[in-house]
């Protein structure tokens, strides 16, 4: 009987340990489809020898390149890929829709209405109460311009008493003038994953690890004062569970990739991974792994055997 108790105790300990050490599973986006009012304006990038490369815009390729995570971002799907071209129609969007944890989720590029809408209409002016001004204020600080305002005043021949708001306004106008908001509206989605325990949904945005190399040539004199190595993601519009969010980040990890070969390669894009997140609905409880079920059945079998031994000994 002592031996039987030891076996039962050990079996129960192993079974409980197995349940306790099951890792949180990460559900991925399934059934990915492209839509929106500019449904054909997207690009798909896969990976070859640490370089992202253009691949055909097929449903299979779209689904394939979204299978990465923060530790191993893979390819990406760029929504509204023509945002940097002349005569860009800023009223249209491209979206990526799929299922995650039994819920529908849509990720979309941004339109002018998303950026410039206010409570009383639309305004592209500096100081308006809209997403454009909220986001640009954070972009300005992340780019190191706030820390360089004294130097900027000297370079522009402005009095030292010139208020910060004037410098910010000039920077906003310059950014608007180079189509900066359009350029920040075409997110490159590299993955969409959900933690099955917490419900957290994490989205990878492929971007530049050092954004100064991209913006300095475009912003002229102002570009000289950008902080080397500053980081900022593009913005993605996410609709999920009846709520819409605009997600972006100002801190990236090294993706281990660059867009270094193939058509349009620039040697710098996709080098940074910006991870953003929303609180998701916790998915239905996952079915235990087969090995755990077998272990529990084994424990149950020991109890049945013990009962039979007791009956025989009566």
């Amino acid at each position: 009987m002592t031996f039987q108790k030891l076996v039962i105790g050990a079996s129960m300990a192993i079974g409980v340990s197995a349940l306790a050490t099951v890792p949180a599973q990460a559900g991925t986006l399934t059934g990915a489809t492209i839509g929106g009012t500019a449904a054909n304006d997207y690009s798909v990038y896969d990976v070859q020898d640490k370089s992202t490369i253009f691949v055909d815009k097929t449903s299979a390729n779209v689904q394939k390149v979204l299978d990465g995570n923060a530790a191993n971002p893979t390819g990406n799907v760029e929504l509204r890929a023509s945002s940097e071209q002349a005569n860009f129609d800023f009223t249209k969007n491209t979206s990526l829709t799929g299922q995650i944890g039994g819920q529908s989720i849509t990720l979309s590029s941004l339109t002018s209405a998303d950026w410039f809408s206010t409570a009383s209409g639309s305004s592209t002016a500096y100081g308006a109460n809209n997403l454009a001004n909220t986001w640009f204020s954070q972009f300005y600080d992340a780019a190191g311009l706030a820390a360089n305002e004294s130097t900027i005043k000297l370079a522009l021949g402005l009095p030292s008493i010139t208020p910060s708001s004037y410098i910010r306004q000039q920077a906003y106008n310059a950014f608007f003038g180079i189509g900066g908001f359009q350029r920040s509206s075409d997110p490159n989605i590299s993955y969409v994953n959900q933690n099955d325990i917490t419900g957290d949904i994490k989205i990878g945005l492929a971007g530049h690890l050092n954004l100064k190399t991209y913006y300095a040539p475009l912003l002229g004199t102002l570009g000289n004062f950008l902080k080397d190595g500053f980081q900022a993601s593009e913005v993605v519009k996410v609709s999920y569970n009846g709520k819409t969010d605009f997600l972006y980040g100002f801190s990236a990890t090294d993706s281990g990739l660059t867009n270094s070969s193939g058509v349009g390669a620039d040697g710098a894009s996709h080098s940074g991974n910006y991870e953003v997140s929303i609180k998701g609905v916790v998915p239905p409880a996952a079915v235990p792994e087969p090995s755990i079920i077998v272990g529990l059945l084994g424990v149950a079998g020991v109890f049945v055997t013990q009962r039979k031994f007791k009956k025989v000994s009566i």
Side-chain angles (χ1 to χ4, degrees), residues 3 25 88 98 115 126 137 143 224 277:
F3 176 73
Q25 300 298 309
F88 175 71
W115 284 108
Y126 173 76
S137 177
N224 297 328
S277 65

Side-chain angles (χ1 to χ4, degrees), residues 197-217:
I197 306 300
T198 65
D200 292 341
I201 296 174
K202 297 185 180 298
I203 301 165
L205 301 176
H208 286 68
L209 196 61
N210 180 4
L211 201 55
K212 181 176 180 176
T213 60
Y214 177 80
Y215 274 116

Side-chain angles (χ1 to χ4, degrees), residues 28-33 44 58-67 77:
T28 59
L29 186 76
T30 60
T33 59
V44 184
T58 65
S59 297
N61 282 339
V62 168
Q63 188 67 62
K64 176 188 175 185
V65 301
L66 296 172
D67 289 340
V77 179

Side-chain angles (χ1 to χ4, degrees), residues 91-256:
T91 66
K92 296 183 178 181
N93 76 313
T94 309
S95 62
L96 170 67
T97 297
Q99 295 285 319
I100 191 161
Q103 302 285 327
S104 177
I105 186 170
T106 297
L107 300 91
S108 174
S109 64
L110 273 63
T111 65
S112 56
D114 292 320
W115 284 108
F116 304 117
S117 291
T118 69
S120 58
S122 179
S123 174
T124 60
Y126 173 76
N129 185 15
N130 53 24
L131 175 65
N133 277 271
T134 298
W135 178 84
F136 184 77
S137 177
Q138 297 173 61
F139 178 91
Y140 182 93
D141 293 342
L145 295 175
N148 279 332
E149 286 182 355
S150 295
T151 308
I152 293 172
K153 291 174 188 178
L154 287 173
L156 298 179
L158 298 172
S160 60
I161 60 172
T162 302
S164 172
S165 59
Y166 179 82
I167 305 299
R168 287 177 176 266
Q169 182 175 14
Q170 298 309 303
Y172 175 93
N173 291 339
F175 187 80
F176 181 88
I178 64 168
F181 292 104
Q182 292 98 304
R183 295 171 186 271
S184 303
S185 300
D186 56 342
N188 294 68
I189 313 300
S190 56
Y191 57 84
V192 184
N193 298 330
Q194 182 172 29
N195 185 299
D196 288 349
I197 306 300
T198 65
D200 292 341
I201 296 174
K202 297 185 180 298
I203 301 165
L205 301 176
H208 286 68
L209 196 61
N210 180 4
L211 201 55
K212 181 176 180 176
T213 60
Y214 177 80
Y215 274 116
L218 297 172
L219 288 172
T221 301
L222 191 63
N224 297 328
F225 302 101
L226 296 173
K227 181 175 69 176
D228 187 47
F230 94 89
Q231 298 171 342
S233 74
E234 293 161 331
V235 185
V236 60
K237 181 178 180 178
V238 180
S239 299
Y240 171 83
N241 197 31
K243 184 181 178 183
T244 296
D245 293 288
F246 296 96
L247 306 180
Y248 50 87
F250 296 99
S251 178
T253 55
D254 190 340
S255 70

